[in-house]
Amino acid sequence: MTASCAPRKAPPPRPASPFSSWSFVGILLVVQVLLLPTSSDACDDPPRFQSMKLKGASQATYNPGDKIEYECRPGYMRIVPLLTTTAVCQADNTWAPLQEACTRKPCPQLGDPLNGRVNGTFLFGSQAHFVCNEGFYILGSQILHCDLAGDNVAWDDEPPRCEKILCKPPGQIPNGKYTNSHKDTFEYNEVVIYSCNPSSGPDEYSLVGESKLICSGFDTWSSDLPECKVVRCPYPALRNGKLVSGFGKKFYYRATVVFECNPGYYLQGNDTIVCGADNMWEPKMPECIKESISPSTKLPTSSHSVSVPTSTQPTISSVSGVKPTTAPPVSRLPDHPSTSEPPSEVLGGWIIAVIVIFSCKCPKRGYHFSQNINL
């Protein structure tokens, strides 16, 4: 009896049951569903309003049937007592009723100031703008704000006043004076006029600056004070030119002269200048510059003569009494057409004349014209 030594094979693995894997997945899904937050039956946080705030402390959650109460914020008041400030958490997780029940408080009524007016609204948080009539200025704050004042509202400053615009005397100037200098005050838009005193020297005073000043604001004049001083510019002598306007022996402040240049010169600069406050001409004196003729404007001097070649001139040696004639040269300038006939036409005329004369003087028999005429 023979024993077999062959190795024993392991039994094949059992296939995994699909139900076991699906069971594991199902367990995981159940766990995740259980871990998900459940839908709440509570209302959201109470809504916020600009004019109202929640009365008391807020709760963590609000269930259907829970009530909340609002109160007006500082600076606001109840519109009417009948409007409720209470809201209830409804079964559908909403708050009802929801409405603004407060409005802004008004500041004390402001009236128009004397000689002015006020613009704007008078409710909490607004501004009131004051404007004065022409000829008056605001004394005080031009803008007032309606702000909180404890549990109430009030303007942040006292209403301003509109005062009449007055100016002090503008002031005296050396060597000059102004009208109504005896007055102590000047009203709005009142005018004073300055002028210069007569000069004790050889030159007169000139008023430099504005002669007319206007009271335009509270103690405010329309421009700075002028001054009276001697302003004399040098005689405006222009080389190679002359004056055409503004003649005089002396040229004081704001004197105006006009120039022109002599023939053959052109003006470089302004033809009109004015005597300025610093005793100088403004703008500076011009110059007269000599004109130059460009070479391109000269006519050319070279001439070109057109002569008839020797071979084209007829030679009549057998004709007695006829002197060979040579056509005169024709001179022509470039771009200047000549009024004489062209050389070819002159030559042709002479040839015809020679033939006519020759035919008249030749015997009618026994003579033959053998001379060749080369044209």
Side-chain angles (χ1 to χ4, degrees):
M1 185 173 185
T2 304
S4 176
C5 296
R8 187 177 179 180
K9 294 182 179 181
R14 296 177 61 184
S17 175
F19 295 101
S20 60
S21 59
W22 281 108
S23 299
F24 180 73
V25 172
I27 294 173
L28 291 178
L29 290 176
V30 171
V31 171
Q32 291 180 358
V33 170
L34 293 176
L35 293 177
L36 289 175
T38 58
S39 60
S40 175
D41 292 335
C43 288
D44 295 331
D45 291 338
R48 296 178 59 86
F49 296 95
Q50 180 180 0
S51 63
M52 302 186 301
K53 65 179 181 177
L54 194 62
K55 191 174 183 179
S58 61
Q59 301 178 12
T61 59
Y62 292 92
N63 298 318
D66 290 346
K67 292 183 179 181
I68 56 175
E69 188 175 356
Y70 288 91
E71 62 182 353
C72 295
R73 294 182 183 274
Y76 292 84
M77 63 181 182
R78 293 281 297 272
I79 298 175
V80 289
L82 296 179
L83 289 178
T84 180
T85 57
T86 302
V88 180
C89 179
Q90 305 296 316
D92 59 353
N93 301 330
T94 60
W95 293 98
L98 292 176
Q99 56 183 339
E100 293 272 1
C102 300
T103 187
R104 291 185 292 174
K105 291 180 178 181
C107 277
Q109 187 72 23
L110 293 173
D112 291 336
L114 185 62
N115 299 311
R117 64 186 183 276
V118 60
N119 302 319
T121 60
F122 305 150
L123 298 178
F124 169 62
S126 62
Q127 299 177 354
H129 295 254
F130 288 84
V131 181
C132 292
N133 298 336
E134 185 176 6
F136 296 83
Y137 71 98
I138 290 180
L139 183 62
S141 300
Q142 183 178 359
I143 300 177
L144 300 185
H145 300 82
C146 182
D147 292 336
L148 285 175
D151 295 334
N152 211 336
V153 294
W155 297 107
D156 63 344
D157 204 346
E158 292 294 327
R161 302 194 311 271
C162 290
E163 297 290 340
K164 192 172 185 179
I165 292 177
L166 297 174
C167 290
K168 295 178 181 179
Q172 296 287 348
I173 59 173
N175 306 314
K177 57 186 177 182
Y178 65 91
T179 57
N180 293 325
S181 57
H182 61 281
K183 297 180 65 174
D184 295 331
T185 58
F186 294 83
E187 295 185 358
Y188 176 73
N189 272 345
E190 192 168 356
V191 177
V192 297
I193 299 176
Y194 281 85
S195 59
C196 293
N197 299 327
S199 173
S200 59
D203 296 316
E204 62 185 39
Y205 290 119
S206 296
L207 185 72
V208 179
E210 294 293 333
S211 62
K212 183 171 67 174
L213 272 65
I214 304 172
C215 177
S216 57
F218 178 69
D219 276 342
T220 303
W221 292 93
S222 57
S223 61
D224 295 332
L225 297 180
E227 57 180 328
C228 290
K229 65 178 184 178
V230 175
V231 177
R232 181 177 176 181
C233 289
Y235 189 87
L238 181 64
R239 186 177 180 184
N240 300 316
K242 60 183 178 180
L243 284 176
V244 295
S245 178
F247 302 98
K249 293 183 179 180
K250 297 180 180 181
F251 299 88
Y252 295 116
Y253 180 58
R254 288 184 177 176
T256 303
V257 295
V258 181
F259 297 100
E260 72 175 11
C261 291
N262 298 334
Y265 294 83
Y266 67 91
L267 191 71
Q268 186 178 65
N270 292 76
D271 64 345
T272 303
I273 57 177
V274 181
C275 182
D278 57 352
N279 303 301
M280 300 295 293
W281 292 103
E282 298 173 355
K284 67 178 183 178
M285 287 278 297
E287 296 182 56
C288 288
I289 308 299
K290 187 173 181 60
E291 295 178 349
S292 59
I293 300 178
S294 175
S296 61
T297 61
K298 297 181 180 180
L299 293 176
T301 56
S302 60
S303 62
H304 303 278
S305 61
V306 180
S307 59
V308 180
T310 306
S311 58
T312 62
Q313 300 176 8
T315 304
I316 313 299
S317 58
S318 59
V319 181
S320 60
V322 179
K323 184 178 180 181
T325 305
T326 303
V330 180
S331 297
R332 301 181 64 187
L333 294 176
D335 302 328
H336 295 274
S338 175
T339 58
S340 61
E341 297 180 355
S344 60
E345 296 180 3
V346 176
L347 178 58
W350 281 105
I351 292 174
I352 295 173
V354 171
I355 294 174
V356 172
I357 296 173
F358 176 74
S359 61
C360 294
K361 293 186 178 184
C362 289
K364 292 184 179 181
R365 66 176 182 271
Y367 187 86
H368 300 281
F369 179 59
S370 61
Q371 178 66 38
N372 295 325
I373 299 177
N374 297 325
L375 296 178

